[in-house]
Amino acid sequence: MGHLNGVPGWCIVVQRPIRSTVQIEQKTLASTRSNLAPGLPAARNPAPVEWRAQQGLVGYEAALALMERRAAAIAEGSASELVWLIEHPPLYTAGTSAKPAELIEAHFPVYAAGRGGQFTYHGPGQRVVYLMLNLKRRGADVRRFVVTLEEWIIRVLAAFGISGERREDRVGVWVRRPEKGAGREDKIAAIGIRVKRWVSLHGIALNVDCDLSHFAGIVPCGIDNPLQGVTSLADLGAPANMAEVDAALRSEFEPLFGTTDLRDRMSPLR
């Protein structure tokens, strides 16, 4: 198992068939990310990515189980790639680098996520996007995949009049908040992935209109700088419903990752 950690918010675990450990220093990781352009090579033998928006709240353990099954099937070539858009009930997840001291107060259930990184929050009003994509068919470049995920969210935010930005030392998408004071910025989207047999699991959490006070129970992604906080579309004065957000996500996904196939949300998902 290789860990690509060391940068706050860098929430990645790479699992390989042969055991190995990869240590990447923060300075090296930042410099290698800064040289990467977003966008992935076109997949060989491309087929549309299944696109599914789930209604209602999905339990975390059920979501993990489905991701594991689907990712295994994708690796075996018996299932199509999947982008799964859901909302969770209020909960915290702990990545492989989570420290007990970063769980300030467990207001909600805490789950081991199996991804890299520290603690994060999920709950109603937050669009969680789980991506099960075959990265081996797309260049087998995890760093470029993460940069492309950031670019995807930045383009989605632009559709709602918000200027999102990436940071070389912190994975995720950030928004400057000068009205709060000099140097202030808030995180609007977190990224946490796992790669198993070159298939991605987990993905992105975009704050749409969630209860931001729920983040107070943790140190999100290990970031404890007083100049940095969390925000949402609603908090920034750009209210949008999930259908509008989902439409923007799909529209901006295709130029970066390829075509999608919108499936009936009522049909069984396996």
Side-chain angles (χ1 to χ4, degrees), residues 49-64:
V49 177
E50 181 178 347
W51 187 275
R52 185 73 68 96
Q54 187 88 23
Q55 289 185 316
L57 302 179
V58 179
Y60 194 71
E61 291 175 325
L64 286 182

Side-chain angles (χ1 to χ4, degrees), residues 111 118 182:
Y111 296 92
Q118 294 87 12

Side-chain angles (χ1 to χ4, degrees), residues 4-50:
L4 286 82
N5 294 320
V7 177
W10 184 257
C11 304
I12 294 173
V13 168
V14 179
Q15 288 189 311
R16 302 183 177 91
I18 300 175
R19 292 183 180 179
S20 62
T21 301
V22 179
Q23 298 289 344
I24 299 181
E25 297 295 333
Q26 178 172 331
K27 182 178 179 180
T28 302
L29 180 56
S31 64
T32 54
R33 286 185 68 235
S34 66
N35 295 328
L36 294 174
L40 300 179
R44 296 190 297 273
N45 302 316
V49 177
E50 181 178 347

